DNA sequence: CCAAAAGTGTTATCGCTACACCCATGA
DNA sequence: TCATGGGTGTAGCGATAACACTTTTGG
């Protein structure tokens, strides 16, 4: 049997979040777990992952990547299930509430997760490591922010991913030098009196950078 | 059904090689393909990959890593098979001939591969890309060389991986500065009159570097 | 003695790091 | 007017890239 489980990341000003679910079937009814599902006979594996994210969050256009195969014989005590784990990055502010509520879902601080069933804890740990590595050379961090964001917000996200405080000035300099941000002439005053300019991600310039062989080390 | 397919890399002085096999079952009997097998009911997925490499090369202690899941519905025209692809790096000079001969296997130049069945061509391409990326920050290139090797040999390998000629002097300087090579007082004269010193990979120092957070960019 | 590969050293440049200062504004 | 977060500039250091010369030895 082949299943897909999804590690779903979010971010808000207090830090990185994980969306976990209360299991609705035996065994371990009511325990916290990642969201998952069996792959249907006529369904591609990746399609299954997309479906699962949509069913559980209402979102269709999120960053979604394969993490790996979890295929220990005894990982699921009930039956032989091989799980193809994916991780998703989404903007917390965009996700639709109702499907999440149906699923008995909850956002947890990444630093303060409950116990998860089976090998889900390891999946989460591996996903976070992959996110750390990947964000060093791909600007996937943007996927976790609202479409419009300030540079201090972006820095806070990277502080959280790397678990250390980056230098304000160097961070700004580097990210701007890549020219993958469009500055808007609007200020966000929610976190300071002076206000910080809002930016948007410039996808075209980013694609071009990829061609030329970027290295995006923040 | 869950299967494992393996992309098996080798290297000799003329370049990077791939081990491919002549298929012994229908459909596509006799066509070239990667080596693979179904995962047994009581077998971990990774264990299956190790088994496949051993059965097809006779080698047990090779570098082996998961590449990803190939799970399109129609990738195998015969049946629904999800394949967990792995790639292996091995020292051509070490592999036992007889099992390979049983399997109707052949080493092909990576640049000059035959047509492969199903989506195996894409697996190979993806594996090579992963090898390129990974070798930028992990010294996995060593896995492809004999236990003892010269620095010019190592450079040739990285030339082949990156598909460009690195600078001889800078390459040597950098690799030596990492202190992950043990110099032997023996010269290999097979490729020049003057002869080049042989080195061994120093695993202890490498492990220590990993702790400290290496970045191995050549 | 010479061709061919191996081995070594130097210099200029670029990018990163580590800093200190000014700006705008609500309270 | 002052506390708070936002925005900008610069100097020093270290790593990288570009490059030329010497060494060894079989033919």
């Amino acid at each position: 049997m082949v299943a897909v489980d999804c590690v779903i990341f979010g971010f808000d000003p207090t830090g990185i979040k994980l969306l976990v679910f209360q299991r609705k079937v035996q065994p371990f009814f009511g325990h916290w777990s990642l969201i998952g599902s069996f792959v249907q006979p006529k369904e591609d594996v990746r399609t299954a992952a997309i479906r699962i994210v949509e069913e559980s969050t209402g979102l269709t256009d999120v960053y979604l990547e394969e993490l790996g195969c979890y295929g220990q014989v005894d990982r699921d005590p009930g039956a032989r299930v091989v799980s193809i784990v994916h991780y998703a990055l989404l903007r917390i502010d965009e996700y639709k509430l109702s499907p999440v509520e149906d699923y008995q879902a909850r956002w947890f601080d990444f630093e303060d997760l409950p116990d998860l069933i089976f090998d889900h804890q390891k999946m989460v740990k591996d996903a976070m490591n992959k996110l750390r590595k990947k964000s060093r050379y791909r600007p996937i961090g943007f996927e976790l922010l609202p479409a419009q964001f300030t540079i201090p917000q972006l820095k806070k996200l990277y502080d959280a991913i790397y678990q250390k405080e980056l230098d304000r000035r160097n961070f700004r300099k580097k990210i701007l030098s890549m020219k993958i941000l469009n500055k808007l002439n609007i200020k966000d005053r929610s976190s300071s009196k002076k206000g910080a300019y809002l930016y948007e991600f410039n996808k075209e310039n980013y694609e071009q950078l990829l061609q030329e062989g970027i290295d995006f080390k923040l």
Side-chain angles (χ1 to χ4, degrees), chain A:
Chain A
M1 299 264 262
V2 178
V4 169
D5 290 303
C6 291
V7 182
I8 300 180
F9 288 103
F11 176 75
D12 76 15
T14 66
I16 292 175
K17 300 276 190 272
L18 204 72
L19 190 58
V20 296
F21 298 80
Q22 240 168 351
R23 194 168 155 94
K24 294 193 294 189
V25 296
Q26 289 295 355
F28 296 103
F29 180 94
H31 285 66
W32 294 108
S33 93
L34 298 177
I35 189 74
S37 161
F38 290 110
V39 177
Q40 301 304 307
K42 301 264 174 183
E43 187 182 43
D44 294 348
V45 170
R46 182 175 169 86
T47 306
I50 293 169
R51 170 176 60 79
I52 291 165
V53 170
E54 178 171 7
E55 286 175 1
S56 61
T57 68
L59 299 180
T60 53
D61 194 30
V62 304
Y63 182 91
L64 180 67
E65 199 190 16
E66 181 180 330
L67 175 62
C69 168
Y70 289 68
Q72 297 272 117
V73 170
D74 57 358
R75 54 173 292 277
D76 180 331
R80 179 70 202 270
V81 181
V82 169
S83 176
I84 314 300
V85 179
H86 290 65
Y87 68 100
L89 309 181
L90 54 87
R91 317 183 203 284
I92 284 189
D93 65 311
E94 280 181 7
Y95 90 117
K96 315 273 192 297
L97 270 174
S98 50
V100 165
E101 281 161 0
D102 291 344
Y103 271 84
Q104 309 271 24
R106 209 183 119 188
W107 288 102
F108 280 88
D109 280 336
F110 184 80
E111 305 298 333
D112 194 24
L113 294 175
D115 283 341
L116 302 176
I117 60 167
F118 304 168
D119 48 0
H120 288 197
Q121 209 86 40
K122 175 162 170 48
M123 294 172 182
V124 169
K125 199 182 119 213
D126 293 345
M128 188 62 193
N129 281 334
K130 185 145 185 171
L131 176 59
R132 285 209 179 97
K133 269 190 196 162
K134 187 117 189 169
S135 60
R136 214 168 297 162
Y137 59 96
R138 287 291 156 96
I140 56 178
F142 294 98
E143 307 287 343
L144 288 161
L145 289 176
Q148 301 186 353
F149 52 86
T150 67
I151 290 185
Q153 275 167 22
L154 184 61
K155 179 181 119 49
K156 275 207 186 89
L157 169 59
Y158 276 91
D159 287 349
I161 291 176
Y162 295 140
Q163 293 185 296
K164 71 168 187 173
E165 172 130 9
L166 303 171
D167 184 274
R168 256 181 340 117
R169 300 155 281 207
N170 295 336
F171 180 85
R172 172 185 297 272
K173 210 183 314 168
K174 194 152 176 189
I175 197 78
L176 287 178
S177 75
M178 294 181 200
K179 313 204 187 227
I180 53 176
L181 297 186
N182 291 340
K183 184 175 184 175
L184 306 177
N185 266 325
I186 316 165
K187 280 195 167 186
D188 168 65
R189 294 188 198 277
S190 61
S191 70
S192 82
K193 295 155 188 177
K194 180 175 176 179
Y197 284 105
L198 286 167
Y199 289 80
E200 281 177 346
F201 184 48
N202 183 328
K203 202 152 187 174
E204 297 80 52
N205 284 13
Y206 166 60
E207 299 291 351
Q208 198 185 324
L209 263 191
L210 279 189
Q211 304 305 324
E212 300 163 13
I214 195 186
D215 70 322
F216 180 87
K217 207 165 84 188
L218 278 174

